[in-house]
C-alpha cells in the first residue's frame, strides 16, 4: 500500500507537504485574521514548490506572482477596509463545528479510500519539462486561443465590476448621506428613521 | 508518486471545506475557498505529469483556473467591502436578509 521509494523527489515532497499542511492548519486555528493571511501565503509558496517538483515551472511562478503576491495583498486590503479589531470574539457553536468537522473528515476518508484502492496505470514519459514556458505559450496561442481571449474579457469585466461595487459614491444632494452602496442593507432602518421624522 | 499528490490535494480541499463551513469572518471564508481551489490545481498538475497520457493541457487548464480564482477573489473582496459599508459587520452569520 505505501510502496514509496525514498528518493530526492520524495524528500522534497515531504518537506513541501509539511509546509502546506502546517500553513493550512495554522490558517484554521490562528486567532488574528492578518496572521491567517500570512500563513495562507506560506501555503501558496509551498504549493509553488510542489509545482516545480511536478515540472510545471511556469505555473509555479504564476502561483507565486498571483496567489502569494496579488491575492494575499488583496485579502490584507480587504481586512484593512473592514474591521480587524475584533479578533477572537467569535461565539462558539459546538454542534455546528462538530458537524462541519465530521463532514470534512468523512469527505477526506472517502477520497483517501478511493485514491488508495485505485491502481493507476503506468504513465507514459512526460515531455514538457524543458522549455516549459515556450510550450505553454504555443499551446495558449494555437489550441486555446478562444478560451484565452474569453478569459481576458472575464478579467476586464470582473475588475471593472469590482471597482464599481466597492467604490464610495458621492453623497446625495438632499443631505441624506451615507448608505450609498448597491446593497440595500440599511433600508429598513432608513425607513424607520423616515417614519419617525414624519411623526415628529 | 501520484497517490501522494492526490492525497495532499484531498487534505487541502478538506481543510478548506472545514474553514469555509466553520469560520465566521467573511475574509477567512474567501481564503478557505482559495485553499480549496489550490487543492484542485494541485490535482490538475499532478495528473498532467503522472496521468496515463501526460501532456501540458493540465497546466494550461490550471492557468485558467488561477485566473478565474483571481477574478473571484477581487469581486468577493469588493462585495465584502460594500457589505461592510452597508451593514457594519463582516460576520457571515449576520448577513441574513434572505432568511427573515
Amino acid at each position: 500500500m505505501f510502496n514509496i521509494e525514498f528518493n530526492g523527489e520524495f524528500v522534497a515532497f515531504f518537506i513541501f507537504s509539511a509546509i502546506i499542511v502546517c500553513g493550512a492548519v495554522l490558517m484554521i486555528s490562528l486567532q488574528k485574521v492578518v496572521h491567517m493571511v500570512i500563513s495562507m501565503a506560506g501555503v501558496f509558496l509551498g504549493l509553488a514548490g510542489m509545482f516545480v517538483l511536478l515540472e510545471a515551472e511556469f505555473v509555479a511562478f504564476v502561483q507565486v506572482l498571483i496567489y502569494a503576491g496579488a491575492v494575499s495583498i488583496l485579502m490584507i486590503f480587504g481586512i484593512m477596509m473592514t474591521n480587524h479589531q475584533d479578533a477572537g470574539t467569535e461565539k462558539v457553536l459546538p454542534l455546528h463545528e462538530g458537524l462541519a468537522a465530521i463532514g470534512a473528515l468523512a469527505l477526506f476518508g472517502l477520497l483517501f479510500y478511493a485514491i488508495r484502492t485505485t491502481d493507476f496505470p503506468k504513465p507514459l514519459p512526460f515531455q514538457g519539462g524543458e522549455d516549459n514556458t515556450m510550450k505553454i505559450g504555443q499551446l495558449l496561442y494555437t489550441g486555446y486561443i478562444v478560451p484565452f481571449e474569453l478569459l481576458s474579457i472575464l478579467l476586464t469585466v470582473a475588475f471593472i465590476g469590482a471597482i464599481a461595487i466597492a467604490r464610495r459614491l458621492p453623497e446625495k444632494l438632499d443631505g441624506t448621506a451615507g448608505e450609498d452602496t448597491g446593497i440595500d442593507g440599511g433600508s429598513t432602518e432608513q425607513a424607520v428613521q423616515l417614519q419617525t421624522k414624519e411623526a415628529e | 508518486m501520484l497517490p501522494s499528490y492526490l492525497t495532499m490535494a484531498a487534505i487541502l480541499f478538506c481543510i478548506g471545506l472545514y474553514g469555509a463551513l466553520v469560520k465566521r469572518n467573511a475574509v477567512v471564508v474567501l481564503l478557505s475557498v482559495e485553499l480549496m481551489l489550490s487543492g484542485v490545481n494541485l490535482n490538475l498538475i499532478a495528473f498532467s505529469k503522472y496521468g496515463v497520457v501526460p501532456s501540458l493541457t493540465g497546466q494550461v487548464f490550471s492557468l485558467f483556473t488561477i485566473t478565474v480564482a483571481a477574478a473571484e477573489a477581487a469581486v468577493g473582496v469588493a462585495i465584502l467591502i460594500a457589505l461592510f459599508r452597508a451593514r457594519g459587520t463582516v460576520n457571515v452569520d449576520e448577513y441574513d436578509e434572505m432568511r427573515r
Side-chain angles (χ1 to χ4, degrees):
Chain A
M1 187 162 150
F2 291 101
N3 46 358
I4 295 168
E5 67 270 26
F6 284 87
N7 50 10
E9 186 187 3
F10 178 72
V11 173
F13 172 80
F14 188 79
I15 293 171
F16 286 132
S17 58
I19 292 174
I20 290 172
V21 172
C22 285
V25 172
L26 277 181
M27 199 278 281
I28 293 298
S29 60
L30 279 177
Q31 292 297 316
K32 291 196 171 184
V33 190
V34 181
H35 297 171
M36 292 182 186
V37 179
I38 302 294
S39 63
M40 269 311 273
V43 172
F44 291 144
L45 288 177
L47 270 172
M50 208 168 264
F51 290 167
V52 171
L53 272 187
L54 286 166
E55 298 185 49
E57 286 89 2
F58 182 67
V59 185
F61 284 111
V62 166
Q63 171 93 7
V64 171
L65 284 177
I66 292 184
Y67 269 119
V71 171
S72 301
I73 299 297
L74 189 68
M75 290 296 172
I76 287 178
F77 268 101
I79 294 164
M80 282 166 53
M81 301 287 274
T82 58
N83 57 347
H84 52 277
Q85 277 89 13
D86 55 339
T89 58
E90 296 183 343
K91 58 179 187 295
V92 183
L93 293 174
L95 180 66
H96 180 208
E97 288 196 8
L99 280 182
I102 288 172
L105 276 179
L107 178 65
F108 175 70
L110 189 69
L111 288 174
F112 189 74
Y113 175 74
I115 289 167
R116 281 299 166 190
T117 51
T118 311
D119 52 339
F120 295 100
K122 192 77 178 166
L124 298 172
F126 176 64
Q127 289 148 354
E130 58 272 350
D131 287 340
N132 184 264
T133 309
M134 194 179 79
K135 285 182 180 170
I136 283 181
Q138 283 171 351
L139 261 185
L140 269 183
Y141 280 99
T142 54
Y144 297 95
I145 184 67
V146 175
F148 182 76
E149 297 295 339
L150 279 179
L151 262 191
S152 66
I153 295 173
L154 172 77
L155 269 185
T156 314
V157 170
F159 289 142
I160 292 174
I163 294 169
I165 290 172
R167 181 175 58 142
R168 189 189 294 274
L169 291 178
E171 297 189 354
K172 293 175 183 131
L173 289 177
D174 54 358
T176 59
E179 307 302 323
D180 47 7
T181 51
I183 294 153
D184 207 3
S187 62
T188 55
E189 294 168 4
Q190 281 180 344
V192 170
Q193 283 174 359
L194 282 178
Q195 282 175 356
T196 53
K197 275 182 188 171
E198 284 172 3
E200 286 172 23
Chain B
M1 213 51 208
L2 178 60
S4 312
Y5 286 108
L6 295 188
T7 310
M8 192 63 229
I11 290 172
L12 265 185
F13 190 88
C14 291
I15 292 177
L17 180 67
Y18 177 75
L21 287 178
V22 163
K23 290 295 174 181
R24 296 198 172 74
N25 193 331
V27 179
V28 185
V29 174
L30 275 179
L31 275 178
S32 302
V33 173
E34 297 290 328
L35 204 63
M36 292 162 77
L37 282 167
S38 297
V40 174
N41 268 339
L42 184 59
N43 255 1
L44 285 174
I45 292 181
F47 273 112
S48 98
K49 186 181 176 190
Y50 289 114
V52 182
V53 186
S55 69
L56 281 177
T57 312
Q59 298 186 15
V60 174
F61 201 90
S62 74
L63 284 178
F64 289 160
T65 317
I66 288 174
T67 318
V68 174
E72 174 250 329
V75 176
V77 169
I79 290 176
L80 201 64
I81 290 171
L83 263 177
F84 177 70
R85 242 179 240 148
R87 303 290 311 276
T89 179
V90 286
N91 198 336
V92 289
D93 283 346
E94 297 173 29
Y95 297 150
D96 54 356
E97 273 88 12
M98 314 246 322
R99 206 167 62 179
R100 56 190 182 190

